[in-house]
Amino acid sequence: PDGRMEFHEWDLTPEEAAQVRDLNRYAQVWSASGESLLRTRYITSDLPLDTSALRAAASGSLVTTDQQFQSIPIRSLYYPLERMGAAHARHVLQIAAPLGTRDQMLERLVWLLAVITIAVGTATFAGGWWLGGRMVRPVDKIIDQAETIQAGTLGRRITAHVDIREYERLVEVLNRLLARLQDSFAAQRRFTADASHELRSPLTALRGEIELALRREREPEEYRRVLASNLEEVDRLTSTAEELLTLARSDSGVLQPRLRMTEITSTIEAAVHRVQPAAESKRLEVALEADDRFEALVDPILFDQLIWNLVENAAKFTPADGQVQVRLTRGPADFVIEVSDTGPGIPVDAVERIFERFYRVDPARTQSETRGTGLGLSIVRAITDVHGGTVTAANLPEGGAVFRVQLPLSPGTGADAAQPPTSA
Ligand code: ADP
């Protein structure tokens, strides 16, 4: 009230004041005209005065400015003291704080961040490099081992890092792939060996017969007999070659059925009709039982071959006075053909094997005089496969074999279903 002003400040020795200089706040009260009215005792000279800030504060605004004081940067706040009462009208309080500590801290922070960034970056890079190396090394080893495996050494397996969980599956998959390759290589080798054997036997027989016939002059009748026998061998060779070709085409995926709407019942009737002469010579009864006449989308040539192979087998393997029955039933989306006979049936352990190439049950058991090539049923299976169907063999409880073929009425809904071949 009497207009006297003073700052209530701590008592600090000059050394203490110097120590806490940067933490201290300096205060000074100015008149509106820029006359120093009161000053904190921690400074020896007036704070620098920003006249425009003073003017603004004198007219009631709160203002801050950045300045230099005794060559250190400071920030000042100009406060209009009149807000405290009329006694202080046109007095301005300036509070200043050194910015040194803050600047220092910021500078240190920048350095610290830079060091941290570089350190973390380097560590991440080094760690990534190390981890990458560690991850890739086993793959390299697996590749090395895989590369040493050739067609002749398909029996080898990859053994590197089978114990590391992450690579266990990779190695397993590769090994399974190798096993499959090995199996199919072995099957191919067997097939080639069997095929050449199968082709060589009739050729040897032919050669023997011809050589024998040529040894001396013979009657025309005898030549005719030899030639007729030769023709039989040639026929056998031709059909074997054709069967081999069909299987080779099925293996390479070239066996594409040319699907047409085909009268199924008539096709089967025709096959039954064709087998009659052979059946009659053994007094076999061949019967066809069909629900109705219907059409299905099949390759007529392949389908005829399928039926013929089954009917011919039944007639071939059934002893005299037996019966062969062909039953045709139609379902909503498929149809089933069952060819059963009163023959010797199939040994239990051979039920699946008879579909293998060149597999024949011991002829003594089947008591069949006609030796086949052993390719017929593998062709049946190849044909049902390309039509998207199935074929199974079983024995009847009362004796005799039954072959059951199931085919869709219209294949071609699946992705790999048979498409009519393109002109290419
Ligand atoms: P192939 O008839 O030329 O010998 P297949 O592949 O047609 O060859 O048949 C393989 C084998 O399956 C035959 O050798 C025969 O032992 C057996 N088999 C086929 N059909 C019958 C059948 N209806 N009854 C008994 N065995 C059969």
Side-chain angles (χ1 to χ4, degrees):
D2 59 2
R4 219 165 43 82
M5 288 185 282
E6 75 178 274
F7 291 132
H8 300 275
E9 294 177 296
W10 287 343
D11 280 329
L12 291 179
T13 62
E15 298 81 57
E16 286 170 339
Q19 244 177 45
V20 297
R21 194 189 68 157
D22 283 351
L23 299 174
N24 237 330
R25 299 290 173 266
Y26 306 122
Q28 182 148 17
V29 178
W30 302 92
S31 73
S33 57
E35 187 191 338
S36 168
L37 300 179
L38 177 65
R39 192 173 72 205
T40 175
R41 76 177 123 91
Y42 302 135
I43 47 175
T44 49
S45 62
D46 283 347
L47 286 171
L49 181 63
D50 184 320
T51 44
S52 61
L54 178 72
R55 220 175 303 123
S59 44
S61 311
L62 185 71
V63 188
T64 57
T65 57
D66 283 349
Q67 292 164 297
Q68 290 278 330
F69 175 54
Q70 293 172 350
S71 72
I72 60 162
I74 58 164
R75 175 164 296 166
S76 294
L77 172 75
Y78 291 85
Y79 178 80
L81 273 184
E82 68 177 7
R83 291 188 187 180
M84 299 188 71
H88 290 296
R90 305 192 62 71
H91 288 167
V92 171
L93 170 68
Q94 179 184 7
I95 305 282
L99 295 178
T101 325
R102 185 206 65 166
D103 288 349
Q104 251 174 22
M105 200 167 76
L106 281 180
E107 199 178 323
R108 238 184 270 148
L109 198 68
V110 167
W111 275 106
L112 195 70
L113 279 179
V115 169
I116 290 175
T117 309
I118 291 170
V120 170
T122 314
T124 310
F125 182 76
W129 188 273
W130 176 78
L131 206 66
R134 244 181 78 106
M135 302 283 285
V136 167
R137 221 174 302 130
V139 177
D140 276 347
K141 193 115 185 271
I142 291 169
I143 290 174
D144 286 346
Q145 283 200 352
E147 246 171 354
T148 61
I149 299 172
Q150 313 276 338
T153 55
L154 277 177
R156 273 199 218 154
R157 291 291 172 267
I158 296 171
T159 50
H161 302 287
V162 272
D163 48 339
I164 300 180
R165 193 157 49 90
E166 285 78 1
Y167 295 104
E168 203 179 289
R169 256 199 78 210
L170 175 69
V171 172
E172 252 176 44
V173 167
L174 285 174
N175 280 341
R176 271 206 303 274
L177 174 76
L178 283 172
R180 280 200 302 274
L181 279 176
Q182 190 186 11
D183 285 352
S184 79
F185 253 68
Q188 286 295 340
R189 271 202 206 107
R190 235 179 7 247
F191 181 56
T192 316
D194 288 346
S196 39
H197 174 78
E198 215 52 47
L199 291 173
R200 215 171 38 205
S201 321
L203 282 174
T204 314
L206 257 180
R207 194 194 164 93
E209 263 184 324
I210 296 171
E211 275 175 354
L212 193 71
L214 287 179
R215 218 166 264 171
R216 61 176 170 81
E217 235 9 75
R218 290 175 198 273
E219 294 299 307
E221 188 50 40
E222 214 169 329
Y223 283 125
R224 210 166 289 132
R225 190 192 56 75
V226 171
L227 282 177
S229 156
N230 286 355
L231 191 61
E232 250 175 51
E233 291 295 343
V234 170
D235 281 346
R236 212 169 107 81
L237 273 171
T238 312
S239 68
T240 308
E242 265 163 19
E243 285 173 338
L244 285 173
L245 189 65
T246 308
L247 287 171
R249 284 168 67 219
S250 129
D251 281 350
S252 55
V254 195
L255 187 68
Q256 293 279 9
R258 291 163 184 266
L259 301 175
R260 309 231 186 303
M261 281 316 272
T262 310
E263 236 278 40
I264 297 298
T265 325
S266 312
T267 314
I268 298 177
E269 269 169 1
V272 168
H273 187 72
R274 249 184 297 150
V275 85
Q276 283 301 345
E280 272 163 21
S281 68
K282 285 159 81 182
R283 295 178 306 281
L284 292 184
E285 199 185 300
V286 186
L288 168 63
E289 191 185 301
D291 293 349
D292 57 356
R293 305 203 155 258
F294 65 92
E295 291 192 327
L297 201 55
V298 296
D299 180 320
I301 297 173
L302 293 180
F303 180 69
D304 180 62
Q305 204 174 344
L306 181 158
I307 295 300
W308 176 247
N309 281 351
L310 293 179
V311 174
E312 193 203 23
N313 270 354
K316 189 163 71 179
F317 292 110
T318 308
D321 300 310
Q323 281 150 16
V324 173
Q325 175 145 47
V326 184
R327 190 176 294 127
L328 175 62
T329 39
R330 186 198 150 155
D334 57 3
F335 61 100
V336 173
I337 304 158
E338 276 178 334
V339 182
S340 53
D341 59 47
T342 53
I346 305 145
V348 182
D349 56 330
V351 167
E352 250 320 294
R353 297 205 62 198
I354 52 169
F355 292 100
E356 286 174 15
R357 288 152 193 207
F358 297 111
Y359 184 81
R360 284 169 291 217
V361 178
D362 180 8
R365 200 194 124 93
T366 52
Q367 299 158 6
S368 163
E369 328 73 62
T370 15
R371 216 175 115 76
T373 53
L375 290 175
L377 288 178
S378 31
I379 289 178
V380 167
R381 179 153 276 178
I383 294 174
T384 49
D385 282 352
V386 294
H387 281 86
T390 54
V391 55
T392 51
N395 286 308
L396 293 168
E398 61 272 21
V402 55
F403 288 83
R404 187 172 186 276
V405 175
Q406 184 192 23
L407 290 176
L409 282 173
S410 143
T413 35
D416 56 354
Q419 296 291 323
T422 54
S423 54

